[in-house]
Amino acid sequence: MRVLLVGAGGVGTAITRIAARRSFFEHMVVADYDLARAEAAVAAVDDAAHRFSSARVDASDPLAVRALLTASRCDVLLNATDPRFVEALFTAALASEVHYVDMAMSLSSPHPERPYEECGIKLGDAQFARAADWEKKGRLALVGIGVEPGLSDVFARYAAEELFDEIDEIGIRDGANLTVEGHDFAPSFSIWTTIEECLNPPVVWEADRGWFTTAPFSQPEVFDFPEGIGPVECVNVEHEEVLLIPRWVDAQRVTFKYGLGNEFIETLKTLHKLGLDRTDKVTLTDGTQVSPRDVVAACLPDPAALGDRMRGKTCAGTWVKGQKDGRAREVYLYHVVDNEWTMREYGSQAVVWQTAINPVVALELLAHGVWEGSGVLGAEAFPPRPFLDLLGEYGAPWGQRDQ
């Protein structure tokens, strides 16, 4: 397997450090708009076999990406950029007839008249609309295979196959007790993506209603996270799992709630009130055009560089309620990562490392033919046990708590 990794930010760099310890691929080209960043990602890995190289590419230019795929003879494109570039990279991979893997799906657009009741364009709609094209070419687009979405979706399929006869609700719950020394406000993940998913209308699935939306930060609840994290208030947030899980797993209801904290929520609300969450460009007095959201991102510290000042753990998991053998059952399947451990073992902070490990595991399963298919598929479309077993082999065990 030859892999073109597009994006050498925090997640992309963590991917190289994880993949360098595995033997399933022949070569990985690490590409970024900033060549120096791609070169730094390659330089940071132990590469005695010379399996890594760097390149410059504009992720928004499908023709440039196709040219690099051809020149590097890659048969898989792994997208580690933010969601703005999904459609361009997805298009380039399809046109080049290579497999495609991403961790976030094509962007949504709220309903023009009823944004907090009805869906407009949903996350991933642009990708699923081209599923038949991928099937005709016999190529796979494995979408949403980070930690959330990704591992959380594997948990959902595992619960349906092995733990439940009937499922009432699948609720993804994400929380942490991470702190960052020296910063009053320092998101542990891309603020561009965080703004997108937190300020868009959250989507909920119900079997008798389909997909519908609510207001941002709605339906707060306190969830008790394992391994010392403890109770965290979680709220509805737009996320891909709600759009993916119902396509392959039978459940009466699917939700996603994120533990943001009141201070974080109020900061996001303020950015929205000031128009600083906008992506369309505004013109400054000197004629310069800038995107307010890009300015916010530029003013904040790089999440990938915060690891040495971060303390605590992060948890991603899937809370499932239903019946087994005629009796009510409730479990939480989860993955907890300690920032101290990821920094010591990989030099990557916990949140980006937890995101990065899952596409590498998926690529290994694809390389060995354990996972295979064509079309546009989520992790729910594949057998979950091989993924969970391999995750343990990578030194990142998962847990199960009966509620």
Side-chain angles (χ1 to χ4, degrees), residues 15 18 335 352-362 387 391 394-396:
I15 285 171
I18 296 165
H335 189 245
V352 298
W353 185 90
Q354 189 183 40
T355 302
I357 190 172
N358 295 288
V360 181
V361 171
F387 188 100
L391 189 67
Y394 274 60

Side-chain angles (χ1 to χ4, degrees), residues 21 31 49 93 119 159 170 198 213 234 238 278 290 301 372 377 382 391 399:
R21 303 187 183 190
C119 295
I170 296 174
C198 290
T213 57
C234 299
E238 180 189 50
R278 292 168 53 190
V290 295
E372 57 183 358
L377 303 177
F382 300 93
L391 189 67

